[in-house]
Amino acid sequence: MDKRSKIALYAIGAVIVLMMIAEITKPKALNWRDSYAAADKIPLGCYVLFNELKEVSSKPISVSTKTAFEGLKDFEGKEKTVRLFINNGISFDKQDSESLIKYVENGNSVFISTNYMYGILSDTLNIRIGTDYNNFFKKPSLNSFTSPNLKTNERHFKDVIENSFFISLDTINAVALGTTKVEKTEKISADSVPDTNINYIKVPFGKNNGAFYVHTNPFAFSNYHLLNGNENYAATVLSFLPKHQIIWDNYYKSGRKVITSPLRFILQNQALKWAFYIAMLSLILFVIFRGKRTQRIIPVIEPLKNATLDFTRTIGDLYYQHGDFTNIINKKIQYFLEQIRTKYYLNTNELNENFISKLAIKSSNKIEDTKALIDYMVYLKSKSNHTETDLIQLNKHMESFTKNTI
């Protein structure tokens, strides 16, 4: 790599480091997303409420991460409980609605705090929630209770609020527990919405003292309001509930954690997201600056093949085809004697009885077999012409000898 390329790489690396430092040190923007999840510490999360409930409740808090239909199966046949649903908007399907109705008919209670509620359950309770977008929406409001004894616990919500209320309800069965009041700053013609409206009701259901508690100000339970002097109002709202074990819903939440792919999980985590970006950038830089190899591929050189055996076989076939048995026999005898000299260090000039005895001992062959081989070799050396039978017989003697050789 030349000097200019190195300077360019160093400059790019310095820019990346500076961008990382700037991103890490800059103040994070406040997240105003409505979450209502128990683990979220953002302004509109429910971290404070969930942990306070665990402190003040005499019984452990159960957390449900399933639908109403699936979650209620886990508590069938057990003691009476109270199920809490807090979210900006809640809508139950037919199966969930029927499960909640059966759950309340068995003597349990359901608390719902939401700005918008739709579906079969809303129709069954004969209630409708709405808002006056001309006068009430996101304006300061006084949230109070119908009981005069609770006047000290009413609170004036000045900001971070959406003022919803009941625009219709079953006046025969529903019991009003709380109201919201907004002072209208402008008079609009044909305006029939009063300043004060009901925002908290109790609807008894069944014959076992079960009830639905419906509240239209979920903002009151957010971290923002609980940490800004409105905690008494939220505590009073929940004080109307029976003193049963609480089941906290963590499924019907706008801030429910939903991870559908590994990449989404990585991008949702700040540290993993930056690690992913750096890895991708590094890979791109590597491809740009190191895409071309600095050295050609070294070719693979196969080692030389040992062709001695093939050569020997070829020469043998050549001799055999020409019928020169005398030459082949002489070569085999010479090769055999060379092996004797090399392996057993014996002198082969005189093939006498002493030589035969020493060869038999060193090669672990019988003296008779060794003598037969040597005598046959001497006999063949004395002949001037040889036949194919002589060659075959010599080869048999040699194979028999070498088979028993150590």
Side-chain angles (χ1 to χ4, degrees):
M1 183 182 296
D2 57 9
K3 186 175 181 181
R4 294 180 61 184
S5 300
K6 290 182 179 180
I7 294 174
L9 279 178
Y10 293 149
I12 294 173
V15 171
I16 293 174
V17 172
L18 291 176
M19 290 175 62
M20 291 175 57
I21 295 174
E23 184 68 24
I24 294 172
T25 57
K26 76 176 184 180
K28 295 183 179 179
L30 197 59
N31 186 359
W32 286 98
R33 178 175 59 91
D34 52 337
S35 166
Y36 300 103
D40 281 347
K41 299 180 181 181
I42 60 178
L44 295 183
C46 281
Y47 177 83
V48 175
L49 174 64
F50 180 76
N51 285 275
E52 287 299 319
L53 286 175
K54 291 195 298 184
E55 294 293 332
V56 300
S57 177
S58 59
K59 298 181 180 180
I61 307 295
S62 299
V63 178
S64 174
T65 57
K66 303 177 181 178
T67 64
F69 173 75
E70 295 175 337
L72 291 176
K73 289 183 178 179
D74 300 334
F75 297 91
E76 289 182 354
K78 298 183 179 181
E79 60 181 3
K80 293 182 179 180
T81 56
V82 179
R83 193 175 180 96
L84 269 61
F85 297 92
I86 303 173
N87 197 49
N88 189 42
I90 293 178
S91 177
F92 300 106
D93 60 20
K94 180 179 179 181
Q95 195 175 43
D96 293 336
S97 299
E98 292 175 352
S99 298
L100 288 173
I101 291 172
K102 183 179 179 181
Y103 171 74
V104 175
E105 285 178 341
N106 292 332
N108 301 288
S109 299
V110 171
F111 175 81
I112 301 173
S113 183
T114 181
N115 285 313
Y116 313 99
M117 183 175 175
Y118 309 98
I120 297 176
L121 182 61
S122 178
D123 296 336
T124 302
L125 300 179
N126 197 17
I127 59 175
R128 287 181 60 197
I129 300 175
T131 186
D132 183 0
Y133 289 96
N134 293 323
N135 291 296
F136 287 178
F137 189 65
K138 293 189 177 181
K139 289 191 176 182
S141 62
L142 177 65
N143 284 242
S144 57
F145 301 95
T146 55
S147 173
N149 297 328
L150 299 176
K151 186 173 180 58
T152 56
N153 292 335
E154 66 183 20
R155 285 296 182 272
H156 191 258
F157 291 85
K158 298 179 180 179
D159 54 7
V160 190
I161 188 73
E162 292 180 10
N163 296 297
S164 299
F165 53 88
F166 292 99
I167 57 178
S168 69
L169 53 84
D170 187 354
T171 55
I172 297 177
N173 296 317
V175 179
L177 301 178
T179 60
T180 179
K181 180 180 180 181
V182 176
E183 294 183 3
K184 299 181 180 180
T185 57
E186 298 178 2
K187 296 296 181 180
I188 300 176
S189 59
D191 184 8
S192 60
V193 180
D195 295 347
T196 303
N197 296 276
I198 298 174
N199 74 338
Y200 187 23
I201 63 171
K202 173 185 177 182
V203 183
F205 208 90
K207 300 180 180 180
N208 296 311
N209 296 324
F212 286 94
Y213 296 83
V214 186
H215 181 251
T216 64
N217 183 13
F219 292 90
F221 302 101
S222 64
N223 298 329
Y224 179 85
H225 287 295
L226 291 180
L227 297 176
N228 282 279
N230 296 325
E231 65 278 3
N232 286 341
Y233 174 80
T236 306
V237 171
L238 297 177
S239 68
F240 286 94
L241 304 179
K243 308 302 180 185
H244 299 155
Q245 181 185 2
I246 295 175
I247 304 175
W248 175 275
D249 167 68
N250 224 23
Y251 180 83
Y252 297 94
K253 302 291 185 184
S254 301
R256 180 164 59 99
K257 300 293 185 295
V258 179
I259 298 174
T260 58
S261 67
L263 182 59
R264 183 169 182 175
F265 175 79
I266 292 173
L267 295 179
Q268 285 182 342
N269 187 295
Q270 188 74 7
L272 292 178
K273 179 177 70 173
W274 274 103
F276 176 75
Y277 288 157
I278 293 173
M280 290 296 101
L281 183 60
S282 301
L283 182 61
I284 293 172
L285 291 176
F286 175 81
V287 171
I288 293 174
F289 292 99
R290 288 288 183 179
K292 185 178 180 181
R293 299 180 66 95
T294 57
Q295 182 178 346
R296 289 181 298 176
I297 299 176
I298 300 174
V300 178
I301 301 176
E302 297 292 341
L304 295 176
K305 187 177 181 181
N306 187 356
T308 304
L309 183 61
D310 294 336
F311 175 76
T312 305
R313 184 179 294 109
T314 302
I315 296 300
D317 292 340
L318 184 63
Y319 277 113
Y320 189 80
Q321 289 174 5
H322 284 79
D324 191 357
F325 302 112
T326 301
N327 200 356
I328 296 176
I329 289 174
N330 291 333
K331 292 289 191 299
K332 287 183 69 67
I333 293 174
Q334 291 177 10
Y335 178 76
F336 179 78
L337 295 177
E338 174 63 24
Q339 291 292 102
I340 296 299
R341 291 192 293 270
T342 304
K343 187 173 182 179
Y344 301 116
Y345 305 102
L346 294 176
N347 188 353
T348 59
N349 292 328
E350 296 182 4
L351 304 179
N352 51 25
E353 295 295 331
N354 185 35
F355 170 80
I356 294 173
S357 177
K358 291 181 180 180
L359 179 60
I361 294 173
K362 288 191 175 185
S363 64
S364 298
N365 278 281
K366 295 180 180 179
I367 294 179
E368 296 80 7
D369 296 338
T370 306
K371 179 175 175 58
L373 172 61
I374 299 301
D375 290 344
Y376 192 70
M377 289 171 54
V378 172
Y379 163 71
L380 293 177
K381 290 177 69 175
S382 64
K383 291 178 64 176
S384 58
N385 294 318
H386 301 85
T387 63
E388 182 179 358
T389 304
D390 296 335
L391 176 61
I392 294 173
Q393 191 65 26
L394 176 63
N395 189 68
K396 288 181 179 179
H397 280 293
M398 288 184 175
E399 285 183 350
S400 177
F401 179 83
T402 56
K403 186 182 296 185
N404 298 323
T405 300
I406 58 173

